Amino acid sequence: MDLNADLGEGFGIWRLGDDEALLGLVTSANVACGFHGGDPTTMRRVCEEAARRGVAVGAQVGYRDLAGFGRRHIAYDFAELRDEVLYQLGALDAFCRLFRTRVRYLKPHGALYHAAAHDESQAAALVAAVNEYDDQLPVLCSPGSTLAQLAVGAGLRVVAEGFADRGYLPNGMLVPRNAAGALVTDPEQVAERAVRMATDRTVVAVDGRVIPCPVESICLHGDTPGAVASAEMVRAALIDAGVALSPFTA
């Protein structure tokens, strides 16, 4: 199982989360590319540390929305979104190359992640960007989403992702962040959910129902309160359960 986290999301003098600590615990790093969070100095620092630790770097691409942290929906034109995703991929890859690594996958962030789960135009823009940049890059996204379907149709590798620290609706979608039950912050509960995803391929929804969750990668949000403590417990719990941890790109 792969364990990933959203990293490098600070900006300027503002740090968000403990990137260095999380890089010692995860196997893949979804690095912000400067649109919803991150900046060149942060991108360089995180890429250097990820390369040193052997952590796979993925481009966490988002809307051009620093003020809203990429969590506000934007009705993009197809070509504009495609090109902005290409821009972000190239920027992060430049810093990766300084440290003899490269961008190994793409993951959309925030509102773009949710839009691409059902919006065919925005999902298609992401697929087009990956195809034009490097059609060997996997796409990390929700299983069964529109993005997953279009990516598979385009011949791209899709890696299904689950969220140990987010609440799920009975239909398999994430609970909106402005609704009760959106975040799971108790480290023990996060670890329990991660083990269930990895061993049983299921998750308990907010209404108590057990629903399918067939994933290859488990995400922890670096900006969630107690993220490092949760990551420590998740990693330990997965290993104790006999789950080997490695990047899905290995």
Side-chain angles (χ1 to χ4, degrees):
M1 179 62 67
D2 176 62
L3 184 61
N4 77 72
D6 298 345
L7 300 175
E9 294 181 313
F11 183 78
I13 64 171
W14 290 278
R15 291 289 184 98
L16 188 62
D18 190 338
D19 294 334
E20 285 70 22
L22 285 168
L23 283 168
L25 298 167
V26 301
T27 51
S28 296
N30 317 315
V31 182
C33 301
F35 272 32
H36 77 274
D39 56 41
T41 300
T42 302
M43 292 161 69
R44 180 182 183 125
R45 172 176 53 80
V46 175
C47 288
E48 180 177 16
E49 186 66 13
R52 188 179 73 81
R53 292 179 178 270
V55 174
V57 172
Q60 188 189 16
V61 299
Y63 291 145
R64 189 190 291 269
D65 180 29
L66 281 172
F69 196 57
R71 288 184 175 153
R72 303 181 292 190
H73 180 264
I74 298 176
Y76 269 94
D77 171 76
F78 167 86
E80 183 180 10
L81 181 57
R82 178 201 61 205
D83 293 345
E84 292 206 350
V85 171
L86 278 166
Y87 184 96
Q88 293 174 77
L89 278 166
L92 186 65
D93 208 25
F95 288 111
C96 284
R97 292 182 182 213
L98 295 177
F99 307 107
R100 298 183 180 180
T101 187
R102 59 184 175 84
V103 168
R104 297 188 178 275
Y105 62 93
L106 175 141
K107 174 185 172 177
H109 165 81
L112 178 56
Y113 191 103
H114 295 294
H118 59 81
D119 185 311
E120 189 166 335
S121 176
Q122 295 210 0
L126 288 166
V127 170
V130 174
N131 259 327
E132 291 186 354
Y133 189 80
D134 181 354
D135 63 9
Q136 298 304 301
L137 287 183
V139 176
L140 183 61
C141 61
S142 295
S145 63
T146 297
L147 175 56
Q149 294 171 28
L150 292 183
V152 168
L156 301 176
R157 179 186 173 192
V158 170
V159 177
E161 177 182 41
F163 295 85
D165 57 3
R166 289 293 312 277
Y168 277 82
L169 296 170
N171 64 1
M173 302 293 287
L174 295 176
V175 176
R177 278 189 172 264
N178 60 358
L183 298 180
V184 180
T185 57
D186 175 38
E188 291 188 5
Q189 188 178 2
V190 174
E192 179 183 335
R193 290 163 67 82
V195 170
R196 184 170 197 140
M197 287 179 183
T199 59
D200 295 340
R201 299 298 196 263
T202 61
V203 66
V204 179
V206 289
D207 67 349
R209 274 186 260 184
V210 177
I211 59 175
C213 191
V215 300
E216 297 177 63
S217 183
I218 296 172
C219 178
L220 298 171
H221 288 87
D223 64 317
T224 299
V228 173
S230 290
E232 289 172 341
M233 291 197 70
V234 166
R235 184 180 179 90
L238 288 170
I239 291 172
D240 286 347
V243 178
L245 296 177
S246 64
F248 61 80
T249 53

